[in-house]
Amino acid sequence: MIKTRFAPSPTGYLHLGGLRTALFNYLYARKVGGKVVLRIEDTDQQRQVEGAVDNLMETFDKMGIGFDEGPRQGGECGPYFQSQRLSVYQEQIRRLLDSGHAYPCFCSPERLKKVREERAAQKFNTPYDRHCLNLPRREALDRMQDQPHVIRMKIPQDRIVRFYDIVRDAVEFNCADIDDQVLIKTDGFPTYHFANVVDDHLMGISHVIRGEEWLPSTPKHILLYEYCGWKAPKFAHLPLLLNPDRSKLSKRQGDVAVEVYLQKGYLPEALNNYVALLGWAPGNDREMFSLDQLEKAFSLKGLQKSGAVFDVEKLKWMNGHYLRELPLKQIARLAEPRFLQAGIDISDKTKYLQVVDDARRRISILDEILDFSNMFYEVPAVQGEHRLFIDDGTSRELFIFWKDKLNEMTNPDTEAIKALIRETTDELGITGKNLYWPLRIALYGSPHGPDLPTLIGILGREETIRRLELQMNKA
């Protein structure tokens, strides 16, 4: 059975990099008919953020990413919590102590700091001097009863650890450059490195797909698998996500939390699609994928080595595509809270759908929708050069002509408006922007916007006449 996992720490919102890792694990499991597990690595109690797990689950629910195994919560598979599995880690650490692959360390924080500074000054690659490694076993066991200590992993100093990575091919590390990793902290909780290996084995994880920042830790994990007598899973270390300047993606240069993008009006469909293409290539020029299509197309062979640049402008472009292509009623439902919060009466659902349909063709994210919708619900303010443009005699003559003609119409549909445009040119000799711009400015507040049949179709005959008269009276 192929089984993957996503194992975040509950330290805040879901990062874009975390979404990509979770998405790739999910897609691979779905592609091969396997399972994907969610595991909360909460062994660092001081870094936990209240509500982080609930936010994580809500975000995954919005993104359409589900998990297949774990404690049941409301009928759904919930996450495993490492803090609830301490007895499992204690059993395994006892075995490592008995086999000599781990040892207790009683060094104080003050001593560790001093040693770290001294060894750094002397250009040592490892910050710990193995001071407690050769303590007599009986003495070490006695001191463990009442003295603060950690449990460290004994790293062989004369060995090269070699392994195959699905993304990076053959990789090797010299153990002389690897520190004796702490496995159990003074509070009795395991470190990430130890709990991660134990859980991956006991949960049957076959493929560990994670960010490349964990690549230097992999030799430690492989040694732990060996020490425990277990077979290591297959590894795939994903390339870093980068800012456009090729620096590592971080909140110092922009938003990195998935929830922030959702709040701004980026669609889950667009986020999944765009993030999937960061470090993975489908093998052709195709860019648009639904989640179902990604499940069928995804392959570990398509994972790339080089860092993937997160380009928010490309994401906006893709999001705009989805806004135009998704069912109108779905977009209208998503946009509705923004209209209600702005105090806009959208009780006329026919008009509301028309407004949303027009606006979504002009925006990249839902946060922009009111900028292209407000003018349909309140008369736009006309100022500056726009005011000057519609106050001349030609514009006034145009408004009077259109007001009179519209008063004669019972149903100014698209064909009727197109005919009126031709009639205006024939009778008044007004063409081009001298015709379209004044009318759009008077009705919409800008010379750029919907074509006149669409604009008048949304406003209706009476409101169109009222706005023309209002601008004429201001002239």
Side-chain angles (χ1 to χ4, degrees):
M1 165 68 74
I2 298 296
K3 188 184 288 188
T4 66
R5 49 73 163 174
F6 179 58
S9 299
T11 55
Y13 289 101
L14 179 64
H15 187 284
L16 287 166
L19 172 61
R20 184 187 62 168
T21 300
L23 182 62
F24 284 4
N25 278 279
Y26 170 86
L27 292 176
Y28 181 60
R30 290 290 180 270
K31 174 67 178 289
V32 299
K35 293 184 176 181
V36 59
V37 173
L38 177 63
R39 188 173 70 223
I40 305 300
E41 305 209 331
D42 59 344
T43 58
D44 191 340
Q45 298 287 289
Q46 295 182 348
R47 295 183 63 225
Q48 290 189 60
V49 174
E50 185 176 355
V53 175
D54 289 339
N55 176 267
L56 184 76
M57 299 303 294
E58 291 172 5
T59 301
F60 280 132
D61 184 58
K62 293 174 184 176
M63 299 304 295
I65 297 175
F67 299 90
D68 303 309
E69 183 179 308
R72 287 283 171 179
Q73 296 182 349
E76 299 293 333
C77 289
Y80 292 102
F81 289 86
Q82 288 187 328
S83 60
Q84 299 173 3
R85 297 169 55 81
L86 297 185
S87 61
V88 175
Y89 312 127
Q90 289 298 330
E91 178 183 353
Q92 297 302 326
I93 203 66
R94 283 194 295 269
R95 293 181 179 180
L96 292 178
L97 286 168
D98 291 343
S99 65
H101 292 303
Y103 63 95
C105 172
F106 302 92
C107 295
S108 66
E110 295 75 21
R111 181 183 185 279
L112 291 173
K113 179 181 178 182
K114 180 181 178 182
V115 170
R116 184 165 54 249
E117 292 172 350
E118 290 175 349
R119 290 176 69 83
Q122 298 170 24
K123 308 298 183 183
F124 282 101
N125 292 330
T126 55
Y128 182 55
D129 61 359
R130 314 188 96 184
H131 177 72
C132 296
L133 174 60
N134 295 314
L135 287 175
R137 179 174 175 77
R138 176 47 56 190
E139 177 187 345
L141 291 175
D142 289 344
R143 293 176 64 180
M144 286 175 66
Q145 302 304 311
D146 56 10
Q147 292 186 27
H149 63 278
V150 299
I151 305 296
R152 291 183 180 271
M153 173 185 181
K154 182 180 177 182
I155 302 291
Q157 297 297 290
D158 56 352
R159 180 174 164 188
I160 303 294
V161 173
R162 296 180 176 88
F163 60 94
Y164 175 80
D165 184 89
I166 294 171
V167 178
R168 302 177 185 283
D169 300 324
V171 183
E172 64 178 42
F173 286 87
N174 189 337
C175 287
D177 298 327
I178 301 175
D179 201 38
D180 281 5
Q181 176 68 48
V182 173
L183 302 180
I184 301 291
K185 297 174 289 187
T186 54
D187 61 3
F189 279 77
T191 60
Y192 162 83
H193 300 280
F194 186 51
N196 156 72
V197 167
V198 172
D199 284 341
D200 280 349
H201 170 73
L202 295 181
M203 294 179 183
I205 303 302
S206 63
H207 290 70
V208 171
I209 305 170
R210 59 190 180 188
E212 73 170 22
E213 63 269 23
W214 295 111
L215 188 63
S217 300
T218 307
K220 303 174 187 179
H221 301 165
I222 288 176
L223 288 172
L224 279 172
Y225 280 107
E226 291 183 7
Y227 292 169
C228 293
W230 300 333
K231 180 182 178 181
K234 294 180 179 179
F235 294 97
H237 288 89
L238 307 174
L240 292 175
L241 292 187
L242 306 175
N243 292 302
D245 64 1
R246 309 296 296 183
S247 61
K248 184 178 179 180
L249 186 67
S250 70
K251 60 184 178 182
R252 290 190 298 273
Q253 296 200 33
D255 296 318
V256 296
V258 175
E259 186 64 23
V260 171
Y261 286 89
L262 293 175
Q263 290 171 355
K264 287 182 177 180
Y266 288 89
L267 301 176
E269 295 87 347
L271 272 172
N272 279 332
N273 191 160
Y274 182 67
V275 168
L277 298 175
L278 296 175
W280 171 75
N284 51 42
D285 294 332
R286 182 177 178 181
E287 290 188 300
M288 310 308 297
F289 293 88
S290 67
L291 191 58
D292 287 342
Q293 290 168 338
L294 284 170
E295 291 175 15
K296 295 179 176 65
F298 186 79
S299 169
L300 295 181
K301 293 180 180 179
L303 296 177
Q304 301 171 318
K305 296 181 181 180
S306 58
V309 173
F310 180 80
D311 182 352
V312 71
E313 294 304 318
K314 180 64 176 292
L315 173 59
K316 282 185 177 180
W317 169 83
M318 186 170 284
N319 198 69
H321 172 86
Y322 275 92
L323 284 169
R324 292 185 291 275
E325 296 298 323
L326 286 180
L328 174 58
K329 289 186 177 180
Q330 180 178 346
I331 300 301
R333 176 177 52 79
L334 294 172
E336 186 172 313
R338 289 168 168 79
F339 284 82
L340 297 178
Q341 188 174 6
I344 297 175
D345 181 4
I346 57 173
S347 57
D348 183 341
K349 294 305 179 184
T350 299
K351 177 179 178 179
Y352 175 60
L353 288 176
Q354 290 177 310
V355 169
V356 172
D357 193 30
D358 176 73
R360 69 169 175 159
R361 302 176 191 280
R362 308 176 191 284
I363 64 176
S364 298
I365 57 177
L366 280 174
D367 263 9
E368 300 168 345
I369 198 165
L370 293 183
D371 296 336
F372 297 89
S373 303
N374 281 323
M375 60 284 292
F376 289 111
Y377 292 98
E378 58 183 41
V379 178
V382 180
Q383 300 174 341
E385 61 181 14
H386 291 167
R387 180 79 260 167
L388 295 174
F389 194 89
I390 68 171
D391 280 350
D392 64 22
T394 301
S395 295
R396 182 175 179 81
E397 181 184 14
L398 175 65
F399 294 164
I400 293 173
F401 184 80
W402 273 64
K403 177 179 74 71
D404 292 343
K405 292 296 181 180
L406 288 170
N407 271 321
E408 298 172 0
M409 297 181 185
T410 57
N411 180 29
D413 58 15
T414 297
E415 291 306 315
I417 298 302
K418 287 181 178 180
L420 179 55
I421 292 172
R422 293 191 295 270
E423 188 177 355
T424 303
T425 299
D426 293 340
E427 295 197 21
L428 302 182
I430 301 175
T431 61
K433 72 177 185 179
N434 292 321
L435 189 159
Y436 295 106
W437 282 27
L439 288 170
R440 280 208 191 98
I441 291 171
L443 301 176
Y444 188 73
S446 169
H448 308 291
D451 59 34
L452 290 175
T454 299
L455 183 52
I456 295 170
I458 296 174
L459 289 174
R461 183 175 72 96
E462 289 77 12
E463 179 64 12
T464 300
I465 293 171
R466 186 177 79 86
R467 292 191 180 194
L468 290 174
E469 290 177 338
L470 181 64
Q471 296 305 333
M472 289 164 52
N473 293 335
K474 287 182 178 180

